[in-house]
Amino acid sequence: LVFAPCSKVAGSDRNWISASDEEIVQATMGELERLFPLEIAADGSKAKLRKSAVVKTPRSVYAAIPGRNKYRPSQETPISNFVLAGDYTYQKYLGSMEGAIFSGKLAAEVIADAAAGFPTKGLKAVHPSVKVLTSVNT
């Protein structure tokens, strides 16, 4: 189970990196009890936690604050035969393995549509704060 380090800006009232290992384990068990009430009980009468380890990696994920998606590029680019894929591109997940996989699927759709002669979803507008090169000197 992963608790991403959050801040009030990101919509959380808790920073799990600063929490003690015991607080994190208790919160995790509380969430698991809520999700699996037939298997886990607070009184310990059902499944029991025998061992735990807490690993804190403060910069493992970015803070997903409102408005950040406008800076993510689409999979389709203005360069012919050049498509982007990766968790940093525009897709519905955060920067994660799931996001990278979904982005790869979206990139494959762009390629398949172009190869079949179908219209693609088109380019996402570039946010005005992002500098766009109009020509490259070689």
Side-chain angles (χ1 to χ4, degrees), residues 2-130:
V2 175
F3 285 99
C6 291
S7 67
K8 290 185 187 282
V9 173
S12 175
D13 60 353
R14 189 71 192 265
N15 182 342
W16 290 104
I17 292 296
S18 64
S20 71
D21 290 1
E22 185 171 318
E23 288 175 298
I24 293 171
V25 170
Q26 285 178 346
T28 302
M29 292 307 296
E31 184 68 7
L32 291 172
E33 180 185 347
R34 185 183 71 77
L35 293 170
F36 305 103
L38 300 176
E39 292 83 10
I40 299 172
D43 64 5
S45 62
K46 297 180 182 178
K48 294 174 178 41
L49 175 66
R50 298 199 182 262
K51 182 169 105 172
S52 68
V54 174
V55 177
K56 297 179 183 182
T57 310
R59 292 185 175 90
S60 64
V61 296
Y62 65 90
I65 58 176
R68 301 315 282 164
N69 268 346
K70 64 187 170 192
Y71 298 106
R72 296 170 121 184
S74 59
Q75 287 71 31
E76 186 171 353
T77 71
I79 301 168
S80 178
N81 295 322
F82 185 72
V83 178
L84 300 175
D87 68 348
Y88 65 93
T89 62
Y90 190 76
Q91 36 81 20
K92 64 183 179 180
Y93 299 110
L94 297 175
S96 62
M97 294 295 286
E98 294 81 5
I101 291 167
F102 190 65
S103 175
K105 178 187 178 295
L106 294 173
E109 287 177 4
V110 170
I111 294 166
D113 286 346
F118 298 139
T120 61
K121 292 183 175 118
L123 293 172
K124 178 180 169 241
V126 176
H127 192 269
S129 68
V130 178

